[in-house]
Amino acid sequence: MKLATFESGNTLQLGAVEGETIRPLGFAGTMIDLIADWDAKRDSIARAAASAKAVPLASVHLRAPVLRPGKIFAIGLNYADHIAESKMETPKHQVWFTKAVTAINGPFDPVQVPKAGPFVDYEVELVAVIGKRGRHIEPDQAAKHVFGYCVGNDVTERFWQHQTPQWSLGKSFDTHAPIGPWITTRDEIPDPHALGLRCIVNGETRQNSNTRHLVFNVWQQIAHLSKAMTLEPGDLIFTGTPGGIGAAMDPRQFLKAGDKVRCEIEQLGAIEATFVAEE
Ligand code: ZN
């Protein structure tokens, strides 16, 4: 299924997306509530979706599928071509940073060029959404802990990222974690390591790669993170970005108000933001 969080009128709802339509699930709770109870709810949800009246996707406002994840972790330097353009060595250990949960943004909502930091860049990424909670998850069990996948843009303020050794502030400005357009459940994505992904800025393709080029794959990422902490339903893992970032272009290119950035991943759909100056 493709599960979305959307607004219609003034109410927030969950829905199942089919083609250009969405069917409200009539579920009283958040996406995280649904994910946490998915094994028990999935059949009744599928029935509810099948009997609900489909409305055009274009008539609703899609919000971030998970509005308030418990945590957002993101891995750095995880595609060979991005490591090379960053003039870094392939890391022996996984390099993790967090993004603030307040950075979450809808799939088609505006993204801010912050007053405090105009050096804004894009990073298209496969995002894994955790389903089943767990600690010390072995790589060969990791798939069972994934609820599904969506597209993310790990929007980054490069000056803030690099003015200190710790990247988290430069990765955590408000609106800088757009995700969506919905969650595609993992039964529809038998191999998350075979998905083409692209980032297109004002019609120009800047990043164009495939998740088969991940240095540490999704299962290794889940195993490593869960050695340290319990992963919970709705937690988000940004799995790394391929080469082609604006900061590595010659001359360097940063995003400015009016720019349109589209991030797309095979089978998962596309998100697209217009960048705007922070009010
Ligand atoms: Zn990233």
Side-chain angles (χ1 to χ4, degrees), residues 74-77 82 97 123-125 154-156 171 238-241:
I75 192 168
L77 304 171
H82 177 55
F97 56 89
E123 296 188 355
V124 62
E125 306 201 11
D154 176 17
V155 180
T156 304
K171 296 285 192 172
F238 279 66
T239 63
T241 202

Side-chain angles (χ1 to χ4, degrees), residues 91-112:
K92 289 190 181 63
H93 305 285
Q94 298 180 25
V95 176
W96 287 98
F97 56 89
T98 56
K99 289 175 81 71
V101 298
T102 39
I104 285 290
N105 206 47
F108 301 103
D109 291 343
V111 171
Q112 293 175 5

Side-chain angles (χ1 to χ4, degrees), residues 200-229:
I200 298 151
V201 179
N202 301 327
E204 178 193 357
T205 301
R206 296 278 189 89
Q207 296 180 290
N208 189 0
S209 187
N210 190 289
T211 55
R212 69 172 173 268
H213 298 306
L214 287 170
V215 175
F216 296 104
N217 70 31
V218 179
W219 317 141
Q220 291 168 312
Q221 294 182 32
I222 288 171
H224 190 71
L225 282 175
S226 71
K227 286 179 183 170
M229 69 194 83

Side-chain angles (χ1 to χ4, degrees), residues 3-16 22-31 34 52-53 55 60-65 67:
L3 296 168
T5 299
F6 71 100
E7 230 170 59
S8 182
N10 280 327
T11 49
L12 208 52
Q13 302 180 55
L14 303 184
I22 187 164
R23 294 172 188 268
L25 301 181
F27 179 79
T30 65
M31 184 70 80
L34 181 62
K53 184 176 179 307
V55 298
V60 306
H61 177 196
L62 287 177
R63 302 282 305 272
L67 286 165

